[in-house]
Amino acid sequence: MARLFGREWTMRELLERVGELGQIAGVERFTYTDGVRDGVQAARLRSGGGLDYTVLLSRGMDIAHASYRGTPFAWVSATGMAHPSRFEPETRGWLRTFHGGLLTGCGLSNAGAPSQDGDESLGLHGHLSHIPAEECASGTIRTGDEAEIFVSGTLREARVFSENLRLTRRISSPLGGKSLTVTDTVENVGFQTSPLMLLYHLNFGWPLVSETTDLIYHRASDPIPRDAVAAAGFERWQHLDPPTPGYAEQCFFHDPLPDRDNHATVLMINRTTHMGISVAYDRAAFPFLTQWKMMGQGEYVCGIEPANCRVLGRAAEREAGRLQTIAPGEIRRFTVTLTVLDGLSEIAGAEAMLPHR
């Protein structure tokens, strides 16, 4: 049964009280018609449990705005949700259309820093976020007394004489729930082995992010700062700061302890508002986790980034022996679930569930 407005309901009980389920929850598709986002197709999902978020069908099925009971928790950048035709793939041009949002997808042939890999020049974070989805579907699926709101679509990264990768993405929330799950299925539909790099750039913002917010998980090994700048801030990696003039971004590589099913969980908890987020992911598919700590003015964000690579770029991954590939006909699956934590009891329960040694 779905839990709504403080109690459990059967589907028949709900339908007695509404003309259609869309009064409570559902998905609506639309197209933006102004500014840099003109022509971007999107879908808004409402869980009925207070969770509300927008999926950008034209932008790699990224998730833009996200809120819980009217309180936003995703960071949105100054670039706006620009149409993919504005993409500048060279070097760091990706940043000109980095909308932030709850999820920006990075990959599939490269994720991380620009690099020169053999005779190929690769730009920051790849093309995935700027690929329009096709074969899109959306709706509400009822199963007995439960229902699921979903949107799905297919993205293809392909070049003549090179990679031909097909990603099918499904994003869903249970009726009355406070969680969303992103499931990606990547298939190499070509006839040559290709690099495969996939990173979920999850971007959390104010008021969830504040000087009273901490990252919490039980670690299998100590965090590693990406560079000298991060090393200088290492003692405070777990604690977020107020907006800081001239702040230089810091990245830390983490290794959360997985549970018995090899799932890892990271919590972001605001100790003042008693709101939090749980990020749970399949550690077998995503063996690496990067924290992006950016406490600058107007660029006030903390990222939690599960990935099958580090953010140093494809050339560095190849040199380090970490570069993953996908063989012709091979299929790989990636999943992450985000859950809103509302109140001290839910936060305490989530902390108690973290895996221990």
Side-chain angles (χ1 to χ4, degrees):
M1 291 191 291
R3 184 168 184 81
L4 293 158
F5 315 117
R7 57 157 285 190
E8 303 285 339
W9 302 85
T10 68
M11 189 59 66
R12 293 299 298 172
E13 288 173 330
L14 288 176
L15 294 177
E16 287 178 339
R17 288 160 172 81
V18 299
E20 62 167 16
L21 205 58
Q23 179 176 325
I24 304 168
V27 55
E28 300 167 328
R29 290 168 60 174
F30 62 95
T31 302
Y32 289 105
T33 58
D34 62 345
V36 297
R37 61 186 183 177
D38 185 30
V40 172
Q41 298 180 40
R44 178 190 177 192
L45 284 79
R46 297 175 295 116
S47 75
L51 186 61
D52 189 326
Y53 55 96
T54 301
V55 178
L56 304 179
L57 304 177
S58 298
R59 284 289 307 267
M61 294 193 69
D62 289 348
I63 303 175
H65 300 285
S67 63
Y68 173 70
R69 293 186 175 177
T71 299
F73 57 88
W75 173 72
V76 178
S77 84
T79 70
M81 297 171 285
H83 192 275
S85 63
R86 295 177 176 268
F87 180 37
E88 298 178 17
E90 297 81 13
T91 61
R92 294 171 62 84
W94 183 89
L95 293 172
R96 292 188 180 275
T97 48
F98 173 34
H99 66 88
L102 184 61
L103 167 62
T104 298
C106 302
L108 291 166
S109 296
N110 183 55
S115 66
Q116 185 71 33
D117 186 30
D119 61 357
E120 190 171 1
S121 181
L122 301 163
L124 178 67
H125 281 321
H127 292 77
L128 181 59
S129 176
H130 296 81
I131 300 175
E134 56 189 51
E135 300 176 344
C136 295
S138 60
T140 301
I141 298 175
R142 302 181 193 176
T143 306
D145 287 326
E146 298 180 349
E148 179 189 57
I149 300 95
F150 81 96
V151 62
S152 65
T154 299
L155 312 164
R156 177 170 289 188
E157 181 168 336
R159 290 184 298 167
V160 175
F161 307 133
S162 192
E163 72 274 357
N164 186 359
L165 305 179
R166 178 184 176 96
L167 182 151
T168 301
R169 173 165 290 180
R170 191 176 193 273
I171 304 173
S172 62
S173 292
L175 174 64
K178 297 183 290 186
S179 68
L180 67 88
T181 297
V182 181
T183 301
D184 285 346
T185 303
V186 180
E187 180 181 3
N188 184 346
V189 294
F191 294 89
Q192 58 181 287
T193 297
S194 298
L196 177 61
M197 302 177 74
L198 182 61
L199 179 144
Y200 287 3
H201 213 298
L202 301 169
N203 311 292
F204 300 100
W206 184 83
L208 173 62
V209 168
S210 83
E211 54 267 44
T212 61
T213 300
D214 295 331
L215 259 64
I216 299 170
Y217 69 91
H218 294 151
R219 53 185 180 261
S221 60
D222 290 335
I224 300 172
R226 178 183 64 177
D227 51 26
V229 174
F234 180 74
E235 294 302 319
R236 287 194 53 80
W237 70 260
Q238 187 174 9
H239 310 294
L240 304 188
D241 308 305
T244 305
Y247 192 94
E249 66 175 359
Q250 300 176 9
C251 287
F252 303 95
F253 303 134
H254 295 282
D255 187 16
L257 191 69
D259 63 17
R260 293 179 179 178
D261 296 321
N262 207 23
H263 287 86
T265 300
V266 177
L267 308 180
M268 183 180 290
I269 306 297
N270 188 312
R271 300 297 186 184
T272 298
T273 64
H274 308 308
M275 180 180 178
I277 289 286
S278 166
V279 178
Y281 60 95
D282 180 357
R283 192 169 174 268
F286 285 137
F288 303 101
L289 181 75
T290 299
Q291 173 198 0
W292 176 45
K293 185 178 178 183
M294 181 59 210
M295 303 283 94
Q297 295 169 303
E299 293 169 342
Y300 189 56
V301 52
C302 185
I304 299 175
E305 305 173 6
N308 73 340
C309 57
R310 287 188 173 172
V311 293
L312 304 176
R314 196 168 87 188
E317 292 301 288
R318 188 186 298 279
E319 184 176 352
R322 293 188 298 260
L323 180 63
Q324 294 191 17
T325 59
I326 184 167
E330 185 180 355
I331 297 173
R332 303 271 289 277
R333 193 167 182 265
F334 304 85
T335 302
V336 65
T337 297
L338 279 63
T339 304
V340 176
L341 305 174
D342 182 11
L344 290 173
S345 62
E346 291 189 5
I347 289 171
E351 290 187 86
M353 291 295 291
L354 289 173
H356 291 72
R357 288 188 181 276

